Amino acid sequence: MFRSGPVVGGVLLLAGCSGGGGGGGGGTAATSATATPYGTTLDQVLAPVNTGLGKAAAATTTFELDTALAGVESNIGRAVRNLNAVTAPAGADPARTDLVNGLTALASESSALRGDVLNHKVCTVGAAQASLGAGPGMAAVSAALAELTAAGYQPALVVPQLPKPHPQARALENGTPVRDGGKGGKRALKVVNDNGPADAVFTIAQDGKAVASVYAAKGKSTTIEGIKDGAYDVYVATGADWDSDVKQFTQDCRYVKFREKYAFPNPETGTGWVFDLTPVRGEGGAPIEGQTANSAPQP
């Protein structure tokens, strides 16, 4: 048997002949598969997870965050399967096990977080990102990556910088103007939150834009003054942990709109209105309709 060699000067060289002029058997070339270095395997497996976490860290809307986290969960599933299918070097195997466990926990926490955002238990991108970053899954992944680095590997996965959770719920003083637009008019609006379920931000709006908003703390009442004559839509946001930067509650949020417009002055009294935020079961309360942070005007 012969193997063809390169053509040199128009002559085809024959390689692999054995022996002299006699007809001895030709040699055969032995081939062997080369295993992929473990560091390369880690990079290939973890790169999609790294990309997804980067998108989650860069998200600016809850939709973008949900999409990014769904991708992270899918990529983690593939990464875990691949990490379990490849034998790690002895010095890296404990770190591999810890990484698999950390990624599995992170995927579970991500799925639960997406449910909390959908159910309005977590209401802002920053709060969701902070929750993900502070979870045990992310901490376990970070620790496992440090173990792999100590073992001589530098995986293509970097734990993203995410917002830090606030140590306690934030709130404004009762009566604090959130949008101080009620000026120049003669009318007033009283907000009674004595028996309401949570702190609230009460907003009057025209043409889909907030005119004035006030913070009504749970158990208290407050007033918007200086309202100009005209018809207004009325919105209420309730929840916990008020983020003044984005003007939203970050936890347990609910948004409603009173179905009717309210005229100032009040046609019945010639003055203003009183809104009581006490929940009413059955009939008897003013008709309301649900809203979202996107459909309601920003306070």
Side-chain angles (χ1 to χ4, degrees):
M1 299 288 293
F2 299 101
R3 292 187 294 112
S4 60
V7 176
V8 178
V11 180
L12 180 64
L13 301 183
L14 302 180
C17 297
S18 63
T28 57
T31 59
S32 61
T34 301
T36 303
Y38 192 63
T40 301
T41 297
L42 287 173
D43 288 346
Q44 294 171 345
V45 167
L46 297 177
V49 178
N50 188 68
T51 299
L53 287 176
K55 291 180 179 179
T60 58
T61 67
T62 53
F63 177 79
E64 289 178 358
L65 182 63
D66 181 81
T67 301
L69 291 181
V72 167
E73 293 161 29
S74 178
N75 289 327
I76 283 178
R78 284 190 290 270
V80 166
R81 289 192 295 272
N82 289 330
L83 287 170
N84 284 332
V86 176
T87 301
D93 193 56
R96 180 203 64 83
T97 300
D98 290 343
L99 181 60
V100 165
N101 293 337
L103 288 171
T104 301
L106 180 60
S108 178
E109 292 164 21
S110 172
S111 178
L113 178 60
R114 290 170 62 213
D116 286 344
V117 172
L118 180 65
N119 294 319
H120 309 297
K121 292 183 179 180
V122 178
C123 306
T124 64
V125 174
Q129 291 169 330
S131 177
L132 185 71
M138 194 72 79
V141 169
S142 181
L145 293 175
E147 292 178 50
L148 284 169
T149 299
Y153 300 94
Q154 192 70 45
L157 175 58
V158 178
V159 173
Q161 293 293 319
L162 296 171
K164 302 296 183 184
H166 288 270
Q168 60 186 17
R170 296 160 289 177
L172 300 179
E173 291 292 330
N174 183 61
T176 300
V178 176
R179 182 179 294 275
D180 196 9
K183 294 184 179 298
K186 300 178 180 180
R187 311 305 171 186
L189 176 156
K190 184 176 182 180
V191 182
V192 179
N193 198 19
D194 296 356
N195 299 302
D199 285 5
V201 170
F202 197 94
T203 299
I204 58 172
Q206 289 182 320
D207 300 323
K209 295 182 179 180
V211 174
S213 304
V214 67
Y215 195 94
K218 180 181 178 180
K220 297 184 179 181
S221 299
T222 188
T223 302
I224 298 177
E225 298 180 339
I227 301 173
K228 295 180 180 179
D229 290 357
Y232 294 84
D233 291 311
V234 176
Y235 297 83
V236 182
T238 59
D241 187 40
W242 178 256
D243 185 340
S244 293
D245 291 335
V246 297
K247 292 189 173 183
Q248 286 181 246
F249 290 105
T250 73
Q251 300 170 14
D252 299 317
C253 58
R254 184 186 181 210
Y255 299 87
V256 298
K257 175 187 178 183
F258 285 84
R259 194 169 295 165
E260 304 296 330
K261 286 183 180 290
Y262 288 84
F264 289 81
N266 185 328
E268 296 181 1
T269 65
T271 55
W273 293 89
V274 176
F275 289 84
D276 191 335
L277 303 185
T278 302
V280 176
R281 293 183 179 274
E283 298 182 359
I288 59 175
E289 54 190 36
Q291 298 282 300
T292 68
N294 293 326
S295 62
Q298 186 182 59

